[in-house]
Amino acid sequence: MDKFIIEGSKKLSGAVKISGSKNASLPIMSAALLTKEDVILKNIPDLKDINTMINLLKHLGCKIKKENDVVTINCSSINSPEAPYELVKTMRASILVLGPLLARLNSAKVSMPGGCAIGVRPVNLHLKAFESMDASISIDEGYIVAKTNKFKGSDIYFDIPTVTGTENVIMAATLASGKTVIKNAAKEPEIVDLANMLNKMGAKIEGSGTSTITVEGVDRLSGVEYTVMNDRIEAGTFMCAALITSSFIKMVNTPVYAMDAIFDKFKEMGGVVDVEDDSAVIVGGETIKPVNIKTSVYPGFPTDMQAQFISVLTLADGVSIVKETIFENRFQHVAELNRMNADIVVSNNQAVINGVKQLKGARVMATDLRASASLVIAALAAAGSTEILRIYHLDRGYEKLEQKLSSLGANIRREKA
Ligand code: EPZ
């Protein structure tokens, strides 16, 4: 297992290129199952989770070619409708093949995704929606066993605006007979990216990005060439790295249109956001003010940015309160930050952060993807050296992070632990 060694208190400068979005790429790759023609995807980031999805699609029988950030997928011959536990347990987003497999083959066997560090992560809303679309679902030895004669369009209401649940149902509905209306749908920009690609393939989707999405089923979808959006969470992570080190950096290929809540809170904290155009922005700052944050669904403040912002707030000149409303256990980074001299107390899914003068380097443990990013951010500002263990968590969602940070002036290296 690899670890990072970071010598802190280095200022950053220069420009960094934001990569393609992990959370747009995963459903978009899975959507290739819906057609027998070539799906050519550009701006796909080189991440562990992307490779997991490639391996899963290959296991199902798809032919895949990857050259740099271009992935070509052909699912004309799917020879197995089964997503095995060995693959699904490493990435919960594997559930995204369920809808397309059912739509294409009328049967699927997908391992129940286990929980993960941040929560139980049920998929009951996905399954309930598919049952209302005339699928029969049973759970057998940890697998979801699903069958349908053909998906039927249905009116679906999500108790919770689930992101991958919305994506799964949109994909299933594209080939259903009749119209599907999804109410209380999630509105994340990654869902809009998926819908845009599906519409280019001949789907008839309206309302993506709003809480009511309508899909008119069609008989077939064609192949497509599509460029995936950039990663707003990676961009937000680099913003935090700049502010905590009192630096200014330029981010290019930034999805500025999708970052209002992140920009707004960043500026409230004393950060500077100077938008040059729709994909380039100067970010950073010299002072960190305490703020209150409440995570919520898009367009609210994203839960995937909570850990990174808490790292910056450990050095604010005052007390901040961060309320996590999406997941039940997403403060595992707090114990590790407190080992670096932070002063944070968590109760009832709320963190109270009392700003301190300085963080101190220490050996810390990554526990999940965004928690790992928060530890890197803290280490960049800490006095002395920090060792971050188990950075395989980080490799799931950040492309070439140590190279990008080194090019900005950080002193960071990867070693075998
Ligand atoms: C997506 O996960 C993202 N993953 C997560 O990003 C992100 O944190 C999350 O949305 C929230 O924005 C991908 O897009 C691949 P949800 P997802 O279904 O779809 C409950 C990262 O760091 N729920 O919107 O799994 C659930 O427990 C990852 O990149 C049910 O109860 O999240 C949670 O409390 C981490 N039943 C809430 O809804 C269900 O059937 C939101 O979950 C589904 C969800």
Side-chain angles (χ1 to χ4, degrees), residues 21-24 26-27 49 91-96 116 118-128 158-167 186 188 190-191 231-233 296-298 301-305 308 324-328 330 368-371 396-398:
S21 162
K22 167 178 83 81
N23 289 351
L26 292 172
D49 275 10
M91 183 183 68
R92 298 188 58 269
S94 308
I95 191 69
L96 284 165
C116 72
I118 64 177
V120 173
R121 312 291 297 275
V123 291
N124 59 310
L125 300 178
H126 301 232
L127 304 184
K128 182 181 164 202
F158 277 131
D159 290 350
I160 300 171
T162 157
V163 174
T164 49
T166 301
E167 291 164 342
E188 273 66 8
E190 293 76 22
I191 295 168
D231 196 312
R232 61 192 168 105
I233 305 302
S296 75
V297 298
Y298 195 87
F301 186 88
T303 173
D304 291 352
M305 286 305 314
Q308 300 92 311
E324 172 58 54
T325 70
I326 306 293
F327 291 112
E328 65 268 31
R330 200 169 199 174
D368 59 83
L369 170 55
R370 306 303 173 183
R396 297 189 50 174
Y398 288 94

Side-chain angles (χ1 to χ4, degrees), residues 14-73:
V16 64
K17 183 170 166 289
I18 302 301
S19 301
S21 162
K22 167 178 83 81
N23 289 351
S25 299
L26 292 172
I28 280 174
M29 290 168 72
S30 181
L33 287 162
L34 294 166
T35 177
K36 294 185 175 177
E37 298 176 22
D38 276 0
V39 170
I40 302 167
L41 302 174
K42 297 180 177 175
N43 199 34
I44 299 287
D46 182 16
L47 302 171
K48 241 171 88 182
D49 275 10
I50 298 295
N51 293 333
T52 301
M53 180 58 84
I54 288 174
N55 292 336
L56 174 55
L57 292 171
K58 280 182 178 170
H59 177 88
L60 297 172
C62 303
K63 301 279 178 294
I64 302 191
K65 199 172 61 183
K66 182 168 185 279
E67 285 168 40
N68 300 321
D69 69 342
V70 181
V71 175
T72 303
I73 307 172

Side-chain angles (χ1 to χ4, degrees), residues 38-353:
D38 276 0
V39 170
I40 302 167
L41 302 174
K42 297 180 177 175
N43 199 34
I44 299 287
D46 182 16
L47 302 171
K48 241 171 88 182
D49 275 10
I50 298 295
N51 293 333
T52 301
M53 180 58 84
I54 288 174
N55 292 336
L56 174 55
L57 292 171
K58 280 182 178 170
H59 177 88
L60 297 172
C62 303
K63 301 279 178 294
I64 302 191
K65 199 172 61 183
K66 182 168 185 279
E67 285 168 40
N68 300 321
D69 69 342
V70 181
V71 175
T72 303
I73 307 172
N74 182 292
C75 300
S76 51
S77 56
I78 305 175
N79 48 36
S80 156
E82 180 170 332
Y85 177 66
E86 294 67 32
L87 283 171
V88 174
K89 73 176 168 43
T90 62
M91 183 183 68
R92 298 188 58 269
S94 308
I95 191 69
L96 284 165
V97 302
L98 180 58
L101 276 178
L102 267 177
R104 179 79 187 278
L105 300 180
N106 300 336
S107 83
K109 189 177 174 188
V110 175
S111 168
M112 283 287 277
C116 72
I118 64 177
V120 173
R121 312 291 297 275
V123 291
N124 59 310
L125 300 178
H126 301 232
L127 304 184
K128 182 181 164 202
F130 290 143
E131 285 175 329
S132 77
M133 296 172 75
D134 211 28
S136 67
I137 307 258
S138 62
I139 308 297
D140 183 18
E141 295 180 0
Y143 278 78
I144 301 162
V145 180
K147 290 192 184 335
T148 178
N149 293 326
K150 183 174 173 57
F151 271 133
K152 278 197 182 59
S154 167
D155 286 349
I156 286 160
Y157 172 79
F158 277 131
D159 290 350
I160 300 171
T162 157
V163 174
T164 49
T166 301
E167 291 164 342
N168 232 337
V169 170
I170 287 174
M171 291 190 280
T174 57
L175 296 177
S177 56
K179 179 164 86 168
T180 297
V181 180
I182 308 169
K183 293 203 174 131
N184 199 25
K187 300 186 274 190
E188 273 66 8
E190 293 76 22
I191 295 168
V192 178
D193 215 27
L194 170 68
N196 289 344
M197 184 191 86
L198 288 166
N199 282 340
K200 268 188 88 173
M201 295 167 72
K204 292 192 175 124
I205 305 163
E206 289 182 7
S208 68
T210 75
S211 53
T212 301
I213 299 174
T214 303
V215 185
E216 285 289 350
V218 295
D219 292 336
R220 57 180 291 283
L221 294 177
S222 69
V224 70
E225 190 169 312
Y226 191 78
T227 300
V228 163
M229 71 177 279
N230 290 307
D231 196 312
R232 61 192 168 105
I233 305 302
E234 183 194 14
T237 304
F238 277 104
M239 291 170 65
C240 291
L243 184 53
I244 201 171
T245 55
S246 306
S247 311
F248 287 88
I249 62 171
K250 179 172 182 176
M251 301 192 303
V252 297
N253 291 1
T254 305
V256 169
Y257 72 93
M259 299 191 66
D260 288 354
I262 298 173
F263 284 172
D264 179 65
K265 196 51 77 176
F266 187 76
K267 286 187 279 193
E268 192 189 331
M269 270 162 74
V272 171
V273 178
D274 179 9
V275 175
E276 289 191 341
D277 59 39
D278 61 4
S279 71
V281 54
I282 307 284
V283 292
E286 255 115 28
T287 57
I288 303 169
K289 297 178 191 149
V291 295
N292 293 339
I293 295 176
K294 185 176 177 188
T295 65
S296 75
V297 298
Y298 195 87
F301 186 88
T303 173
D304 291 352
M305 286 305 314
Q306 175 256 102
Q308 300 92 311
F309 269 65
I310 281 186
S311 286
V312 182
L313 291 170
T314 63
L315 295 176
D317 54 3
V319 180
S320 305
I321 298 175
V322 176
K323 178 82 180 152
E324 172 58 54
T325 70
I326 306 293
F327 291 112
E328 65 268 31
N329 188 33
R330 200 169 199 174
F331 284 122
Q332 295 196 68
H333 41 290
V334 165
E336 299 304 305
L337 291 171
N338 284 343
R339 298 187 63 248
M340 297 176 72
N341 193 46
D343 177 1
I344 310 170
V345 175
V346 171
S347 65
N348 300 328
N349 233 13
Q350 179 168 284
V352 178
I353 304 113

Side-chain angles (χ1 to χ4, degrees), residues 365-385:
M365 182 91 73
T367 52
D368 59 83
L369 170 55
R370 306 303 173 183
S372 327
S374 79
L375 299 179
V376 171
I377 289 163
L380 291 172
S385 174

